[in-house]
Amino acid sequence: MTDTTTTEPTDKMASPPPGGLPKAYRPSEVEGAIYERWLAADVFAPDGAGSRPDPDAEPFTIIQPPPNITGSLHLGHAQRAAVEDLMTRHARMTGKAALFLPGLDHASIAAQFVLDGIIARDGESRQSLGRERYLERMQDFVTTTREVIVSQERRLGASLDWNRLRYTMDDVSAKAVRVAFKTLHERDLAYRTEALVNWCPGCRTSVSDLEVVSTPETGTLWSIRYHRVDDATGEPLPDESVTVATTRPETILGDTAVAVHPDDARYRALVGRRVRIPFVARDVPIIADAVVDPAFGTGAVKITPAHDHDDHETGKRHGLAMPTILDDAAVVSGTGTAYDGLDRYVARTAILADLDARGDLVGEKPHEMVLGRCQRSNDVIEPRLKTQWFVRTEPLAAKALEATRSGRTRIVPDHFEKTWEHWLTTIRDWNVSRQLWWGHRIPAWYCPDGHVTVSAELEGPSACEDCGRPAAELRQDPDIFDTWFSSGLWPFSTLGWPDETDDFRRFYPTSVMETGYDIIFFWVARMMMLGIELTGSEPFHTITLSGLIRDPFGKKMSKTTGNVVDPLAVMEEAGADALRFALIHGATSGQDQRFGPQKLELARNFANKLWNAARFVLGARPTEIAVDAARTAPAEADLGPIERWIRSRAAAATAAVDRAMADYQFGEVTRALYDGIWSEFCDWGIELAKVRLADESVPVDQRAATWWTLVDALDTYLRLLHPVMPFVTEAIWAAIPHRADDPDLLMVARWPAAAGRDERVDAALGEVIETIVAIRNARAHADLPAGAWLETHLAMATDSRATFEAMAPAIGRLARARPLVPHDRSADLPRPDGALEIVLPSGSFEATVLPPAASDDAVDGAAGRDRARLEKELEEAEGHLVAARARLANTAFTDKAPPAVVEGARTRATELAEQVARLRERLGR
RNA sequence: GGGCGAUUGGCUCAGUGGUUAGAGCACGCGGUUCACAUCCGCGGGGUCACUGGUUCGAAUCCAGUAUCGCCCACCA
């Protein structure tokens, strides 16, 4: 579907001729070449050749949350980019040295999960390839995805400084990881110990607490009889037993005790005796521990210290043995029973059957419980005893908490501070070891004597730190770091830390961390903890958290549900500008938003509206002004109320946008611009100006002033909108006259000052607009032909006379009132039969519209309909008047409310009373 | 079990104490005015979830209730 009449080569689109824009707004053509122009002008970097930060400008830094290198971008990424780019472009235009630093995350476990799926299609697996070939395969994979991601971000218009592109697996990050870990180790904030970790049998690695998803499920609670053994003979006593309750019978094989509550009279005599664990022929003690809830199950608990968190703690308190019974794949092993080699759930079934056969399975009932599942693979997490590296979080969390409590770091919206507080105050040590291949290898070396050497050197230590054994005899830890460990260093590793680089000195601490609230713990908290500890300062002064993008039904977008939206497809259809606007417009910070075609359509229509408004302004240039005329400020004396109003409203929009930007209320930014540009500038500013521009009787200088006023306002709106819709604003801006000190590109032009606000002219024009709307309303209600020019009489207060004189042609045109006859007093208005009566609350204007010739069938009944309208208006006005008077009659109100409010209420009541009186009079009451 | 958020017109959402609660979409009526039908004009439509409280005044603040959503949580 191509329209050959309006299509022009794209190279011309990028730089349209002065005074003209292509007729049709085609986003993909407009956007096509502009990014290249920006790149060529070198304006993305704060120190780029085309950048123009103020000489003494403070830096403004946003480090991009690095997308996972596992695939293409989704709408969430587009939202990240839109919001961050909005802030960056705004900062750049306000003269700051703005750095928006791009990056990619190697996404260790997520990437392996994806790659495992890909190679599985070729019948391969991690094990079949081996570590080296697997990592080569990974390199191929990420090389492809990297290009896809970068090109998508460019398509979105993100003004990222590509020269500073970083990657969590590059050399600088690798060094930062080593140095960070060594530093933590030296400060005793990283330690290695055997502990119960969350093991995912599917991923074959441990995962952090955050990666375990609590899932409510209905399981079974089995009651199992353990037989006592005779203290003297060591033989089981067939008639004496203790019944325990468990949801995981297979862990019987790892039991090393049975626990009861110390105060439980039922079992008091048994404490200290022993029972025999079935199948493994192990006799274990009955111990007393307050952790046991006597009311749950049988009041006796089997203790499996190597496979359960509670039991592990109990085991430590009582010095119990901790036999491991499951291997990496969650297969029973090393128990010396027939169950060795069986999967945990197969073993469970077999054990239950065998217990039943022995008569020791004494009960089972359904049980509501919470299972931990792997965030990545959804496998049931198995607690296992492993020797791993941990980061001591308590001292780090204390500093992070202090930063937000003191206000040095602010969270927007602030209610997330409660979540932040809760998590950081109950945090447990962070297991950073992963038994994966794709990631940063832990820089710890072990010598045969068991010494540990942590080294920050690329080639590792030259010898064991403790005993001096040479490097050749040392063995490096095979594990890698949790992917979030390198992400946690991101705000400073990207700037060159641990080296004192120029960038680090200049841009750290960064300004704003913008990301989705779903990774506040995974990422934001860890950046804060590690950043403060390692660099001595908070990594950013503000954290802004966005909500999630959902589908039109409020469902989370996911590949399995099939409701994901491809940003590229959206941009192809509606443009990057529209996508950005829609994502920002629909959002309140921290709140999820639904995304659907309507929001996109709204945004695309808005871009189209702006495009056409610009086309009008450019085409409306008075012939007296040369096409390439330099931008001149119109003389004050040549400005009428219309021009002053246009200027004032642009200033009001600027102030509103400034306010919203300062509060990180980006949805409010787009709202102010949508209303300002569409409802004010287009609907009224341009429509009112049209009349002046087309009026040959208006002096040339004044017509020129009108046009320059439109250009000024358009210029202001383009600047204000640029951070949200960079492409279309840049394209239009290229076509309008510039000021002498303007750069070639809007992107590096200066942010407008909110100057020219005039509240008196706002009020005066407000009344004129109200009058025009009222006349239109009356005509529409009376079913008069919309296009008919009707004789209209207007009465006005004396002080409105000057405004009227200046605006009569505009009022006439917009209200289709011709001739338009002024009167001093309402009483002078002619009121023939069938005249439409216009009564306004403000009282500045009052009007009658004379009907067309009575013989016209089309207006038959118009008078009656007009009367009905007035009746309704009267009813409403009376209702308001009663309320207003009641309010004023209340002395509590007049005594306590602020004087301005009381005064406003009085004015309101007076106006209402006058309106009611006039309406009554018109209705003949 | 603890915490957080939401509840405003048919739909999606703004609006954190002050006149008459707004927008877009949808809906109804009317429009070929030379920027735009991706448009223009006019209109209908809401006791702001509920109960109580604070206040001269509450969609807005407080307490409670209900419903929905999310986060956190090692009772077998």
Side-chain angles (χ1 to χ4, degrees):
Chain A
M1 199 177 78
T2 48
D3 182 353
T4 50
T5 58
T6 53
T7 304
E8 291 177 22
T10 41
D11 57 14
K12 279 192 182 171
M13 295 288 179
S15 178
L21 286 171
K23 182 164 170 25
Y25 167 61
R26 296 178 196 284
S28 53
E29 288 175 16
V30 169
E31 294 169 7
I34 288 179
Y35 203 84
E36 298 305 319
R37 285 186 66 202
W38 288 329
L39 281 175
D42 195 8
V43 286
F44 288 161
D47 37 20
S51 303
R52 312 192 317 152
D54 294 340
D56 52 351
E58 51 180 305
F60 178 88
T61 314
I62 291 186
I63 307 289
Q64 178 188 37
N68 282 356
I69 199 154
T70 48
S72 54
L73 300 188
H74 55 245
L75 276 184
H77 291 117
Q79 186 200 28
R80 293 279 70 67
V83 174
E84 291 152 18
D85 196 46
L86 160 65
M87 285 190 272
T88 306
R89 286 178 184 270
H90 173 260
R92 192 181 287 119
M93 292 177 79
T94 56
K96 291 180 182 154
L99 171 61
F100 185 16
L101 191 147
L104 295 159
D105 197 300
H106 68 284
S108 174
I109 189 169
Q112 283 206 203
F113 190 73
V114 171
L115 185 64
D116 286 357
I118 292 173
I119 60 177
R121 281 178 235 142
D122 304 332
E124 297 283 359
S125 73
R126 217 190 289 179
Q127 289 73 20
S128 74
L129 287 177
R131 189 162 190 157
E132 198 173 324
R133 282 177 60 208
Y134 183 83
L135 288 177
E136 282 169 17
R137 188 73 182 72
M138 182 66 84
Q139 283 296 352
D140 292 347
F141 174 62
V142 300
T143 304
T144 319
T145 52
R146 173 191 188 101
E147 289 311 309
V148 173
I149 291 170
V150 167
S151 72
Q152 284 180 309
E153 285 175 338
R154 291 178 180 219
R155 181 68 187 86
L156 269 164
S159 60
L160 290 153
D161 180 1
W162 295 108
N163 294 325
R164 287 182 167 91
L165 175 65
R166 293 295 313 282
Y167 177 39
T168 54
M169 276 290 274
D170 64 22
D171 293 344
V172 185
S173 263
K175 182 177 175 184
V177 165
R178 293 192 306 268
V179 171
F181 187 66
K182 184 170 169 58
T183 307
L184 293 174
H185 185 243
E186 283 168 0
R187 296 179 188 174
D188 192 33
L189 291 168
Y191 63 94
R192 186 170 184 251
T193 193
E194 184 180 64
L196 212 54
V197 298
N198 308 303
W199 185 265
C200 172
C203 303
R204 304 282 174 96
T205 182
S206 61
V207 295
S208 67
D209 295 343
L210 279 175
E211 291 160 280
V212 179
V213 181
S214 299
T215 323
E217 292 182 30
T218 304
T220 306
L221 188 65
W222 286 279
S223 298
I224 294 162
R225 190 151 50 200
Y226 286 180
H227 293 273
R228 252 197 75 195
V229 289
D230 187 294
D231 295 336
T233 66
E235 290 304 313
L237 300 165
D239 299 331
E240 286 191 51
S241 66
V242 172
T243 301
V244 296
T246 183
T247 55
R248 295 191 296 159
E250 68 279 11
T251 60
I252 283 174
L253 305 174
D255 282 357
T256 54
V258 168
V260 297
H261 194 274
D263 300 337
D264 194 332
R266 293 172 295 177
Y267 298 112
R268 190 166 295 150
L270 287 172
V271 173
R273 311 290 185 188
R274 301 177 80 79
V275 293
R276 175 154 299 177
I277 304 301
F279 314 119
V280 289
R282 182 163 53 228
D283 295 342
V284 306
I286 296 171
I287 58 174
D289 196 296
V291 79
V292 179
D293 175 2
F296 186 90
T298 60
V301 187
K302 58 189 275 313
I303 302 296
T304 322
H307 294 284
D308 181 276
H309 286 101
D310 278 336
D311 292 2
H312 185 69
E313 294 303 313
T314 309
K316 282 201 284 191
R317 279 195 296 275
H318 295 268
L320 300 175
M322 304 187 173
T324 290
I325 61 153
L326 294 171
D327 69 6
D328 287 359
V331 168
V332 177
S333 83
T335 65
T337 65
Y339 309 111
D340 278 2
L342 297 182
D343 172 82
R344 53 183 163 168
Y345 297 122
V346 177
R348 175 181 296 180
T349 310
I351 284 170
L352 285 168
D354 293 345
L355 283 171
D356 198 25
R358 296 162 61 141
D360 289 331
L361 181 61
V362 294
E364 66 172 71
K365 59 173 186 178
H367 181 59
E368 297 305 318
M369 57 191 207
V370 175
L371 268 186
R373 285 180 178 273
C374 175
Q375 182 197 44
R376 201 55 56 184
S377 70
N378 204 39
D379 286 296
V380 174
I381 294 293
E382 203 64 56
R384 281 180 89 203
L385 211 47
K386 286 286 224 179
T387 299
Q388 308 247 300
W389 284 97
F390 292 83
V391 168
R392 207 180 299 285
T393 46
E394 206 187 318
L396 303 182
K399 292 181 182 179
L401 283 168
E402 208 276 318
T404 48
R405 286 173 184 165
S406 69
R408 281 199 303 280
T409 300
R410 177 186 166 204
I411 302 178
V412 180
D414 58 12
H415 68 76
F416 278 109
E417 276 178 32
K418 288 178 189 165
T419 317
W420 177 262
E421 285 272 338
H422 179 254
W423 191 73
L424 284 171
T425 45
T426 58
I427 191 169
R428 297 195 301 170
D429 283 355
W430 176 18
N431 171 13
V432 293
S433 294
R434 294 292 175 275
Q435 292 66 51
L436 300 167
W437 293 343
W438 176 237
H440 293 285
R441 191 93 174 255
I442 293 177
W445 282 259
Y446 311 118
C447 93
D449 293 339
H451 301 138
V452 177
T453 303
V454 172
S455 168
E457 300 305 315
L458 180 60
E459 54 284 351
S462 54
C464 173
E465 269 182 3
D466 291 323
C467 65
R469 278 174 184 266
E473 293 181 36
L474 306 182
R475 187 179 51 83
Q476 187 178 4
D477 195 313
D479 290 349
I480 62 165
F481 280 108
D482 180 356
T483 193
W484 295 103
F485 187 78
S486 49
S487 314
L489 312 175
W490 194 237
F492 40 102
S493 70
T494 44
L495 295 169
W497 186 91
D499 294 335
E500 269 278 318
T501 61
D502 290 345
D503 273 5
F504 183 75
R505 272 195 296 271
R506 187 171 179 202
F507 296 109
Y508 190 84
T510 72
S511 307
V512 179
M513 170 47 58
E514 194 279 338
T515 193
Y517 67 72
D518 54 332
I519 52 175
I520 182 170
F521 305 137
F522 276 108
W523 195 41
V524 182
R526 282 155 178 178
M527 285 188 287
M528 281 286 280
M529 293 194 291
L530 293 172
I532 298 171
E533 180 63 35
L534 295 169
T535 71
S537 45
E538 292 76 17
F540 18 76
H541 62 63
T542 302
I543 299 164
T544 62
L545 297 168
S546 296
L548 272 35
I549 309 284
R550 296 175 175 277
D551 78 1
F553 308 101
K555 283 210 177 101
K556 207 166 169 175
M557 289 191 177
S558 82
K559 280 178 191 160
T560 42
T561 317
N563 57 354
V564 287
V565 174
D566 176 10
L568 277 183
V570 170
M571 288 188 280
E572 207 45 52
E573 184 199 331
D577 284 326
L579 174 59
R580 293 169 62 121
F581 188 93
L583 288 170
I584 292 166
H585 190 61
T588 308
S589 68
Q591 296 291 338
D592 292 355
Q593 67 162 314
R594 300 176 191 212
F595 187 88
Q598 284 103 346
K599 287 184 178 171
L600 197 65
E601 208 170 296
L602 166 91
R604 185 203 49 181
N605 292 353
F606 179 55
N608 181 66
K609 183 73 180 178
L610 178 70
W611 181 266
N612 282 295
R615 285 208 312 122
F616 170 78
V617 172
L618 291 170
R621 178 178 49 83
T623 48
E624 293 82 1
I625 300 175
V627 176
D628 55 354
R631 182 91 158 268
T632 49
E636 283 295 313
D638 289 328
L639 299 180
I642 292 172
E643 292 74 22
R644 290 174 198 279
W645 183 81
I646 291 170
R647 188 171 66 177
S648 178
R649 296 321 300 162
T654 306
V657 171
D658 283 343
R659 218 177 304 123
M661 283 301 302
D663 294 341
Y664 302 95
Q665 302 277 347
F666 307 124
E668 193 56 41
V669 169
T670 52
R671 232 162 276 127
L673 289 170
Y674 187 93
D675 290 346
I677 291 173
W678 199 316
S679 307
E680 294 187 343
F681 184 62
C682 293
D683 287 352
W684 293 102
I686 287 182
E687 292 306 321
L688 291 167
K690 268 180 189 173
V691 185
R692 303 269 295 164
L693 290 167
D695 191 344
E696 293 294 329
S697 69
V698 174
V700 173
D701 287 350
Q702 289 186 22
R703 270 187 287 127
T706 302
W707 190 70
W708 285 119
T709 300
L710 286 179
V711 172
D712 275 344
L714 177 61
D715 178 293
T716 297
Y717 288 120
L718 289 173
R719 288 174 200 246
L720 295 176
L721 187 60
H722 180 261
V724 182
M725 300 183 122
F727 292 109
V728 69
T729 51
E730 186 76 81
I732 294 170
W733 199 71
I736 69 170
H738 293 177
R739 300 192 194 110
D741 60 344
D742 277 335
D744 291 337
L745 290 168
L746 174 59
M747 188 180 149
V748 285
R750 280 297 175 263
W751 191 251
R757 188 73 198 276
D758 183 337
E759 307 215 353
R760 288 187 59 184
V761 87
D762 282 356
L765 270 268
E767 289 179 352
V768 169
I769 287 170
E770 199 180 5
T771 306
I772 293 169
V773 169
I775 293 172
R776 286 172 175 172
N777 177 341
R779 290 171 52 124
H781 264 102
D783 271 345
L784 296 178
W789 291 90
L790 299 178
E791 180 175 338
T792 302
H793 295 256
L794 206 55
M796 67 203 74
T798 316
D799 52 2
S800 298
R801 193 69 191 222
T803 306
F804 172 80
E805 295 295 346
M807 302 203 48
I811 297 171
R813 170 160 161 164
L814 297 188
R816 290 195 89 69
R818 189 183 294 159
L820 182 63
V821 188
H823 299 268
D824 290 329
R825 296 177 303 127
S826 156
D828 298 338
L829 292 174
R831 296 193 174 90
D833 281 351
L836 307 186
E837 306 272 2
I838 316 305
V839 176
L840 293 171
S842 69
S844 294
F845 290 101
E846 205 162 344
T848 54
V849 177
L850 272 44
S855 59
D856 192 335
D857 292 344
V859 300
D860 199 31
R865 285 187 291 271
D866 191 47
R867 192 175 171 86
R869 173 181 61 84
L870 290 176
E871 298 272 15
K872 193 183 165 196
E873 284 180 9
L874 175 60
E875 194 185 324
E876 283 174 4
E878 280 175 335
H880 292 316
L881 181 58
V882 168
R885 283 186 169 151
R887 203 153 162 246
L888 286 166
N890 182 355
T891 52
F893 170 70
T894 49
D895 291 349
K896 294 188 182 176
V901 173
V902 178
E903 193 45 47
R906 289 218 169 87
T907 310
R908 165 91 181 129
T910 310
E911 282 181 4
L912 280 168
E914 286 173 10
Q915 186 188 9
V916 166
R918 286 195 298 269
L919 281 166
R920 283 204 176 121
E921 183 197 329
R922 297 295 181 93
L923 287 165
R925 293 190 185 169

